[in-house]
Amino acid sequence: MANIEARKDKDGNIVSYRIKVFKGRNSEGKRIKPDMMTWKVPQGWSEKKIQKKLNEIATIFENESKKGLIVNNHQTFSAYAEYVLKLKEQNGVKHKTIESYKNLLERINIAIGHFKIKDLKPQHLNDFYTQLAQDGMNLTTGGKLSAKTIKEHHNVINTILKQAEKEMLVLYNAAAKSSPPKNKKKKVDIADTLETEEIKTIFEILEQEPFKWRMVIQLLAASGCRRGEILGLKWENVDFRNNQIFINNNSLYTKEKGIYEETPKTESSIRYIAIPVKTMKLLKQYRKLYLKQKIAMGNKWIEKDFIFTQENGLPMHPDSPTGYCVKLQKKYNELIAEKNKKLPRNKKKREIHISPHIFRHSQASILIYLGVDPVTVSKRLGHAQVSTTSDIYSHIMQKADQESADKLDRIFG
């Protein structure tokens, strides 16, 4: 039975009624917060009409409460955000994404977590974005947060309030009506890629390096894969007969889960990639050393079928290729410095920044210069849309097109 409580003004006149439906206790014996609503008494109504309508409303409200149809739009943003994250996780959103949401929500909740979701307005969010753009907000540099980072905060808020709108807890999504800073689309320029001569020099250095790292870098360069895709690669997905690999796994790390496996970034990232014959021959040689190590470890070996492992067979940390590239860059720059001593000023070679991702950008650049169409490049990189490839590598495509025009000019001129 619903509990009905009259609410009076300072003169003792009844102005509204509060209707409560108690929902019992939880498994720990604590009383569950009741569903509540307030009905304001219309002016000029008779007592008989008020009581009839009140009983009708109370009955409907109680029935809806028992069926679980009562929504609570009095929840704070922080409480509702916690619910949405659990819902997203249950629906299969990747763990890395959930972790990213949680990290961003730490700052978001400080600013707007106390607001009831029904009270949030676009202006509140705009004020928050303005605050993030002030000096001191970047805890690493002491400067401002970038437009990209502010947009990431906005995207999380938008995700939370979009769900609230979907569940009809709010009249509209305040984030959709707010004005976050515009984030410039990421574009790769020639300076962000390696030239073929630079790649050859890196491969020369790798001949003196441990075979495992030589193989990791070779595969990164030959496939254009992300580092997590290479470290998530298993022997069962290597096709030596057709010289190709199947990418359907990604190696990731979070503090909460440690090193774990997950499907690649998007559905389009699950793909077959043809690998140059020389790289596949090198991979066959590496497999022999891999099997020797496995036998030598005996019972200490933990079989997970990963191609690149720790000494005991467990997967490598996804950050390890980045750490190795720092050492590789140092050796490369030392070698280039020695070569530059013998070269004239106008022919000196540049120092480069080596990272796992630069090999991905370099492959895309090389394929574009070879005249490979954007669709093929996009599929090889595992982009969800061809437009993604075109946007990221637009500068390189323009330069390649200009060089084509220069060649035509020499022919027709």
Side-chain angles (χ1 to χ4, degrees), residues 42-109:
Q43 289 184 352
W45 279 29
S46 66
E47 183 62 26
K48 184 178 179 181
K49 188 176 181 180
I50 289 171
Q51 290 304 316
K52 182 182 178 182
K53 188 64 177 179
L54 178 60
N55 290 331
E56 182 185 326
I57 291 172
T59 300
I60 293 172
F61 185 72
E62 184 177 14
N63 288 336
E64 289 184 344
S65 176
K66 288 178 179 178
K67 292 176 182 177
L69 299 176
I70 303 300
V71 294
N72 179 14
N73 64 354
H74 290 273
Q75 297 174 81
T76 62
F77 178 86
S78 59
Y80 188 70
E82 187 177 346
Y83 155 76
V84 173
L85 257 58
K86 287 179 182 177
L87 188 65
K88 295 288 181 186
E89 202 158 17
Q90 288 169 10
N91 291 339
V93 172
K94 295 185 182 299
H95 178 72
K96 195 84 172 178
T97 303
I98 297 296
E99 282 295 298
S100 174
Y101 283 177
K102 286 180 179 177
N103 290 335
L104 292 167
L105 276 168
E106 288 181 11
R107 194 192 291 259
I108 293 169
N109 284 335

Side-chain angles (χ1 to χ4, degrees), residues 198 332-334 336-337 340 349-353:
E198 291 168 337
Y332 178 92
N333 287 340
E334 287 174 354
I336 294 303
N340 280 340
K349 300 179 185 297
R350 64 171 184 161
E351 291 190 351
I352 57 175
H353 175 69

Side-chain angles (χ1 to χ4, degrees), residues 242-343:
N242 295 305
N243 295 321
Q244 64 181 7
I245 57 177
F246 179 50
I247 301 298
N248 69 344
N249 197 36
N250 201 13
S251 183
L252 298 164
Y253 172 85
T254 63
K255 288 182 180 179
E256 189 179 55
K257 293 184 73 169
I259 301 171
Y260 67 99
E261 301 173 60
E262 200 167 64
T263 53
K265 194 172 182 180
T266 64
E267 194 173 327
S268 303
S269 296
I270 299 174
R271 63 205 188 276
Y272 285 93
I273 301 176
I275 303 296
V277 175
K278 286 185 178 180
T279 305
M280 291 301 285
K281 286 182 178 179
L282 196 67
L283 190 56
K284 282 184 180 179
Q285 294 176 34
Y286 171 75
R287 182 163 171 76
K288 291 177 182 178
L289 293 176
Y290 168 93
L291 292 173
K292 284 182 180 179
Q293 181 183 346
K294 180 178 175 179
I295 293 168
M297 289 297 293
N299 294 332
K300 293 180 181 178
W301 183 266
I302 302 169
E303 184 55 67
K304 294 290 184 181
D305 198 43
F306 285 98
I307 292 178
F308 301 111
T309 70
Q310 302 176 43
E311 287 186 5
N312 60 358
L314 289 175
M316 294 169 64
H317 195 293
D319 288 342
S320 53
T322 304
Y324 174 74
C325 281
V326 173
K327 299 176 183 177
L328 183 60
Q329 180 182 330
K330 185 179 178 183
K331 293 180 180 181
Y332 178 92
N333 287 340
E334 287 174 354
L335 178 62
I336 294 303
E338 284 298 315
K339 287 185 177 181
N340 280 340
K341 289 178 182 178
K342 305 172 185 177
L343 294 172

Side-chain angles (χ1 to χ4, degrees), residues 103-135:
N103 290 335
L104 292 167
L105 276 168
E106 288 181 11
R107 194 192 291 259
I108 293 169
N109 284 335
I110 292 172
I112 64 169
H114 60 286
F115 278 94
K116 292 177 181 177
I117 53 174
K118 70 182 183 69
D119 294 334
L120 266 175
K121 299 290 186 290
Q123 185 179 353
H124 297 136
L125 304 182
N126 291 337
D127 288 344
F128 175 51
Y129 303 147
T130 301
Q131 181 187 351
L132 293 179
Q134 303 301 312
D135 285 331

